[in-house]
Amino acid sequence: MHTKSIAFGLLAAAAAASASDVVQLKKDNFDEFVKSNDIVLAEFFAPWCGHCKALAPEYEEAATSLKEKNIKLAKVDCTEEQDLCQQYGVEGYPTLKVFRGTENIVPYKGQRKANAITSYMIKQSLPAVSVLTKDTIEDFKKADKVVLVAYFDANDKTSNETFSQVADKLRDSYPFGASSDAALAEAEKITPPAIVLYKDFDEGRSVFTDKFDAEAIEKFAKTAATPLIGEVGPETYSDYMSAGIPLAYIFAETEEERKELSDALKPVAEAHRGVINFATIDAKAFGAHAGNLNLKADKFPAFAIQETVKNQKFPFDQDSELTHDAIKAFVDDFVAGKVEPSVKSEPIPETQEGAVTVVVAKNYNDVVLDDTKDVLIEFYAPWCGHCKALAPKYEDLAGLYAKSEFKDKVVIAKVDATANDVPDEIQGFPTIKLYPAGAKDQAVTYSGSRTVEDLIKFIAENGKYSASVSEESAEETPVAPAATEEVHDEL
Ligand SMILES: *[C@@H]1O[C@H](CO)[C@@H](O)[C@H](O)[C@H]1NC(C)=O
């Protein structure tokens, strides 16, 4: 009886699985499936993931209701298809992506409910470009903060296709419209083919008149849609940091003051458009960020430029007034390379007390970039618990090398990254990196466990000198660090 009911259960499960409208894909059929369907929603999942389990029945239901519209829902088990999931940049579960072929892939941005998935995918399957007439175009121009309208001849299939391709890709960002009515183009004072980006800020519209090319149009859309003076906040910060050009911050505490300063500095921003991004930042909410730019965090308004690639800071003197002329002169000097970056540093230690070499911003290059030495450096924060736990082991490690034949070849160092500007991008504390001798541009970040043994292995494997020391000798040293720690704990 018991066996039978299990068998029956399995049969039922098998029947249910085969009845599913969700297509399970693998590495060898994924691309073909995606290419042979106009639009596919793919879920990348792991069987153990709770959110994936919660999504499963919703996903099934959506797949069934989208069947008649010929919109396919697929799933990929990432525990079995690791290569495939990596190829499509899956970093968490579940990840949902909308595929139009294997080139045009966008993240699914809807809710994870059957109804929401269904309506989102139906919208995605409709043309991304609305065909506009003289009756609809005026409303369309005001449909969002930024909209794009292409004007081309009815016979110009190439422009039509290229524009649709961009629209498919950016449809979640902006509304796209198009018209082949020559009278409308004339009213815009443009000659087709051309694109007008309408925006409810700055100059109100930007025009694209180059040859229609998907990449060029995309770039135009992004640049023209970025306000001349935007705003730094949690949603925009990472875009500014990855923009590849410096960011000029205008700190002010009230909206009124931010507007006043933006208006005054607009000509400066205009003159450096595409070279430096300008943005205001709410000093009441995010004033602490001023400290990261080596500004005093309690004196506003304030102005600073951050070179985002090298992470250098150029604070404008906080005792001077933020006038158009003063900022213009400062920014012009910055662009001309005449402003020195501000470097926050503790003083260089007069003597190095312990086995671990203390690095500060001012001796960073001399110590860390010494081309004759393998330098292991720990970036720490005084408040970081893991850093404190590592400290005695790190001291041991340094002691071992100091007493070894490698004492002039390997340096074990640390820097308080909250008190010193370092060129490295630090994601968390502690961060440990090895700068090998003779290859200082190829620093390796340590990701192993924080034990003396593994750190030695790391130095031996990645350093120029393959410097391996025996941990045994630690026990022979007269100072027993573990015991010292215990004594301190008891005090
Ligand atoms: C672009 O091409 C599509 C498909 O052929 C067509 O339906 C649409 O009307 C064209 N757009 C314009 C503005 O002519």
Side-chain angles (χ1 to χ4, degrees), residues 306-445:
Q306 179 177 12
E307 209 289 313
T308 55
V309 178
K310 292 188 221 141
N311 192 22
Q312 292 175 328
K313 297 111 189 231
F314 302 84
F316 177 75
D317 179 8
Q318 271 167 296
D319 293 325
S320 304
E321 213 186 319
L322 290 195
T323 62
H324 165 271
D325 292 358
I327 296 298
K328 178 182 182 312
F330 180 74
V331 176
D332 288 347
D333 282 351
F334 167 80
V335 173
K338 290 187 202 153
V339 185
E340 283 295 316
S342 135
V343 176
K344 184 167 66 175
S345 181
E346 294 175 298
I348 297 178
E350 284 179 19
T351 53
Q352 295 284 357
E353 305 283 333
V356 178
T357 302
V358 176
V359 168
V360 299
K362 286 179 181 158
N363 68 357
Y364 183 95
N365 287 358
D366 291 342
V367 177
V368 180
L369 303 188
D370 179 344
D371 218 26
T372 64
K373 290 176 182 163
D374 287 337
V375 181
L376 187 77
I377 179 154
E378 179 207 357
F379 302 88
Y380 73 95
W383 43 258
C384 142
H386 290 298
C387 305
K388 284 180 199 157
L390 172 66
K393 292 185 249 175
Y394 205 67
E395 196 67 41
D396 275 2
L397 176 77
L400 290 172
Y401 278 100
K403 276 198 278 329
S404 76
E405 60 188 294
F406 299 110
K407 70 176 191 314
D408 296 324
K409 294 191 167 131
V410 175
V411 174
I412 309 296
K414 65 176 180 183
V415 58
D416 177 350
T418 66
N420 297 282
D421 282 336
V422 292
D424 306 78
E425 179 93 25
I426 306 300
Q427 305 282 5
F429 296 114
T431 291
I432 301 173
K433 289 189 182 184
L434 181 77
Y435 280 82
K440 292 293 168 178
D441 54 340
Q442 288 162 38
V444 195
T445 303

Side-chain angles (χ1 to χ4, degrees), residues 102-134:
T102 49
E103 296 301 315
N104 183 348
I105 309 162
V106 292
Y108 170 83
K109 288 188 183 148
Q111 309 261 298
R112 294 185 197 147
K113 290 282 175 222
N115 285 344
I117 297 170
T118 305
S119 70
Y120 186 93
M121 288 309 292
I122 288 174
K123 264 195 223 133
Q124 291 278 323
S125 71
L126 297 175
V129 182
S130 311
V131 176
L132 304 172
T133 65
K134 67 179 192 319

